[in-house]
């Protein structure tokens, strides 16, 4: 297959591209290499991908409609995996407009280009567990309520899902939404706690823990996420003929639209995360506690029933195993990258 991945210089876009190239697919990668975190890390990821001849990279910005429209008309991919976004809950308190521009406007431009493509590609896109917001009924089900976002980031991710549904309905564009739950692993994101904690613990510096470290997250290992996405790519979302508009199931539709949770089904506390890093690093953390910032929710946990039904797989790598792999990667690779 020919697959176009947006955000291919990012953590998940890179990880997916590497996996697809390894299994012989052709990948066109798109990214604007923005400066939200280390550009050196993003460039290192793209360099690795560029070693494979069936990879091509287009540096472009989805905030502008023309470049992505031209690229799609030229490349005509069978599937698009849309991972480009302004990620991160806390930064959305400081720069809310950046989230609307990258996540909402950027997605509209991609959807417009995709719906004009012929034949229409299967469009898969990253959403987030954060769309569950104030919903505290764990584990989160894709059939459950998502009307109360707790951050601008979450609101823009929910907006992405709503826009996707409009395009599935209006233009029969098959769209599949992927609600990721706190993904971690090698080549990961420096702004996330597991990454900054590892860096600080290895350097003997203190780490900042919110609340008393009791926030719980469904930490999900990157290879499991990529496995689930790779299995979903060839399964274009189909309209559900039995969908009942009088009792609408929010995870499917009379349009070719599906939503899946991709999470580990095992919420663990930030304390347990710190313990895993301490064990893998062979060093104790120096803890500094600070209040939980607004926007962060208390706990996340995925109900992956629909994912298992669709692709016969759900993430399950234990946190200790995944963190050990991350810390090994950090010691071998990250320490040699500038700016990290
Ligand atoms: N990593 C997680 O734990 C997690 C959890 C839930 C959801 N997600 C979502 O998954 C997707 C991938 O996340 P990630 O962790 O790989 O993030 P990332 O920040 O590493 O990757 C996103 C990439 O998109 C690029 N980008 C941003 N705006 C762009 C634009 N306007 N045009 C072109 N490229 C642009 C960035 O340069 C970056 O390389 C995002 O949509 C994110 O919101 C991630």
């Amino acid at each position: 297959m020919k697959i176009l991945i947006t955000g291919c210089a990012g953590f998940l876009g890179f990880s997916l591209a590497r996996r697809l190239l390894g299994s012989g697919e052709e990948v066109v990668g798109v990214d604007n290499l923005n400066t939200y975190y280390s550009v050196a890390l993003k460039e290192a990821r793209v360099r690795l991908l560029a070693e494979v001849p069936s990879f091509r990279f287009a540096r472009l910005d989805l905030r502008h409609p023309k470049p992505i429209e031209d690229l799609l008309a030229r490349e005509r991919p069978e599937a698009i995996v849309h991972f480009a976004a302004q990620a991160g809950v806390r930064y959305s308190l400081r720069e809310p407009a950046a989230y609307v521009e990258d996540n909402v406007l950027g997605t509209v431009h991609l959807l417009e280009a995709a719906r004009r493509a012929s034949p229409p590609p299967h469009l898969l896109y990253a959403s987030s567990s954060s769309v569950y917001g104030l919903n505290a009924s764990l584990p989160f089900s894709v059939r459950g309520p998502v009307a109360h976002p707790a951050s601008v980031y979450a609101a823009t991710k929910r907006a992405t899902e709503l826009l996707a549904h409009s395009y599935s309905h209006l233009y029969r564009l098959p769209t599949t939404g992927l609600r990721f739950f706190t993904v971690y692993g090698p080549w990961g994101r420096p702004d996330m706690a597991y990454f900054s904690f590892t860096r600080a613990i290895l350097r003997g510096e203190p780490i900042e823990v919110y609340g008393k470290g009791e926030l719980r997250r469904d930490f999900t290992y990157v290879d499991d996420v990529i496995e689930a996405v790779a299995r979903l790519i060839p399964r274009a979302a189909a309209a559900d003929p039995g969908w009942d508009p009088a009792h609408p199931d929010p995870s499917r539709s009379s349009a070719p639209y599906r939503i899946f949770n991709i999470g580990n089904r095992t919420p663990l506390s930030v304390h347990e995360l710190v313990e895993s890093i301490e064990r893998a690093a062979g060093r104790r953390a120096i803890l500094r506690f600070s209040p939980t910032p607004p926007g962060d929710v208390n706990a996340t946990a995925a109900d992956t029933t629909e994912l298992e039904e669709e692709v016969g797989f759900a993430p399950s790598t234990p946190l200790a195993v995944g963190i050990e792999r991350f810390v090994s990667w950090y010691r071998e690779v990250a320490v040699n990258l500038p700016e990290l």
Side-chain angles (χ1 to χ4, degrees):
M1 281 180 92
K2 187 196 262 195
I3 299 152
L4 186 139
I5 303 177
T6 74
C8 76
F11 172 34
L12 298 183
F14 159 78
S15 305
L16 177 66
R18 197 154 75 147
R19 154 74 192 261
L20 295 175
L21 291 167
S23 46
E25 314 291 359
E26 188 179 347
V27 174
V28 179
V30 164
D31 206 292
N32 69 351
L33 299 175
N34 76 17
T35 56
Y36 170 59
Y37 64 76
S38 165
V39 176
L41 175 58
K42 294 182 183 183
E43 286 172 342
R45 293 179 183 135
V46 175
R47 266 201 307 278
L48 259 186
L49 297 178
E51 287 173 6
V52 185
S54 52
F55 175 76
R56 284 193 302 290
F57 178 60
R59 182 170 185 173
L60 64 79
D61 193 324
L62 292 170
R63 290 174 298 182
H64 307 295
K66 190 88 171 82
I68 186 64
E69 195 183 322
D70 290 350
L71 186 72
L72 278 193
R74 205 165 56 240
E75 295 286 358
R76 298 160 60 93
E78 290 148 273
I80 300 174
V81 184
H82 176 39
F83 283 172
Q86 179 54 59
V89 168
R90 259 149 260 136
Y91 186 66
S92 74
L93 295 169
R94 289 194 352 237
E95 293 289 345
Y99 288 73
V100 176
E101 287 185 9
D102 285 325
N103 304 359
V104 182
L105 188 62
T107 299
V108 172
H109 291 153
L110 180 69
L111 285 165
E112 266 301 299
R115 69 107 166 162
R116 287 169 203 278
S118 137
H122 177 205
L123 188 130
L124 304 94
Y125 60 93
S127 182
S128 164
S129 58
S130 65
V131 299
Y132 292 105
L134 302 185
N135 175 350
S137 142
L138 294 176
F140 297 140
S141 162
V142 286
R143 292 159 196 260
V146 282
H148 302 93
S151 68
V152 170
Y153 169 67
T156 62
K157 284 287 154 182
R158 181 66 188 133
T160 305
E161 299 180 350
L162 297 170
L163 287 165
H165 185 268
S166 319
Y167 276 75
S168 296
H169 172 70
L170 291 169
Y171 307 109
R172 312 313 287 176
L173 181 71
T175 67
T176 299
L178 312 163
R179 290 182 183 160
F180 298 137
F181 285 65
T182 317
V183 191
Y184 71 97
W187 294 98
R189 260 184 32 219
D191 61 320
M192 292 182 70
Y194 71 90
F195 199 116
S196 57
F197 286 1
T198 298
R199 178 176 45 209
I201 290 170
L202 287 173
R203 289 179 183 168
E205 292 168 357
I207 62 172
E208 191 187 354
V209 175
Y210 297 138
K212 299 252 174 329
E214 79 285 7
L215 293 187
R216 286 185 304 139
R217 289 290 174 269
D218 202 353
F219 296 104
T220 307
Y221 188 59
V222 61
D223 289 2
D224 288 343
V225 169
I226 298 309
E227 178 65 31
V229 177
R231 289 184 189 215
L232 284 167
I233 288 173
R235 304 184 66 83
D240 178 356
W243 188 77
D244 179 2
H247 302 94
D249 172 351
S251 71
R252 42 178 78 229
S253 174
S254 54
Y257 168 89
R258 293 295 305 272
I259 294 266
F260 296 99
N261 282 336
I262 303 187
N264 214 50
R265 305 168 292 165
T266 317
L268 295 172
S269 70
V270 171
H271 256 311
E272 287 164 294
L273 170 67
V274 173
E275 281 166 12
S276 290
I277 300 172
E278 287 179 327
R279 266 196 304 277
R283 302 186 69 150
R284 295 303 302 271
I286 307 162
L287 304 177
R288 298 267 187 278
F289 294 102
S290 62
T292 304
D296 270 282
V297 299
N298 286 333
T300 65
D303 174 343
T304 55
T305 308
E306 286 76 7
L307 179 69
E308 288 165 67
E309 278 168 14
E310 187 68 17
V311 297
F313 174 82
S316 64
T317 301
L319 182 66
V321 173
I323 283 294
E324 206 171 300
R325 290 182 199 154
F326 171 73
V327 172
S328 300
W329 169 82
Y330 189 93
R331 284 181 151 140
E332 279 164 34
V333 180
V335 287
N336 298 315
L337 288 168
E339 304 171 37
L340 283 182

